[in-house]
Amino acid sequence: MDVSKYKYPPVWVPAQALYEAMAENDDCGKWDYPSAQLKLTKEMKHPFASQTNDDSENTAADAGMNWYQEAMGVLGCASIPRGYVVVKRN
């Protein structure tokens, strides 16, 4: 695979790994930028800002990720293929 030669050396990637990496979807790859950002509430932008150290056991999973789904709806998110690969040397 050809990469930015001035930054990284070229690498060989198995075809299956390349396909799997490029076949993934970005849940919010396309959205109404920049106007949708103005519609986000403070709670959507910083969902854990009101937590104290005593609440540290409460996670997004406990909250049901409602803020995330709501924010994605406000942004008008559309799922699209990622179409790029990140390869790390072992």
Side-chain angles (χ1 to χ4, degrees):
M1 175 165 52
D2 190 22
V3 296
S4 299
K5 293 177 185 178
Y6 65 93
K7 287 175 118 179
Y8 308 104
V11 297
W12 286 97
V13 179
Q16 184 66 29
L18 182 64
Y19 174 79
E20 288 174 3
M22 294 180 73
E24 289 195 13
N25 283 332
D26 185 347
D27 291 338
C28 196
K30 182 178 178 183
W31 56 290
D32 186 19
Y33 177 82
S35 61
Q37 285 181 301
L38 301 174
K39 298 175 187 175
L40 291 174
T41 65
K42 184 179 179 181
E43 290 77 21
M44 288 180 198
K45 292 179 185 177
H46 307 285
F48 304 111
S50 63
Q51 280 187 343
T52 64
N53 288 339
D54 297 336
D55 294 334
S56 61
E57 293 180 15
N58 295 334
T59 63
D62 295 335
M65 297 287 285
N66 291 336
W67 62 270
Y68 180 75
Q69 295 298 332
E70 186 179 351
M72 287 184 62
V74 169
L75 291 172
C77 289
S79 179
I80 62 170
R82 288 189 190 276
Y84 65 85
V85 181
V86 176
V87 178
K88 293 183 180 180
R89 185 177 286 191
N90 290 338

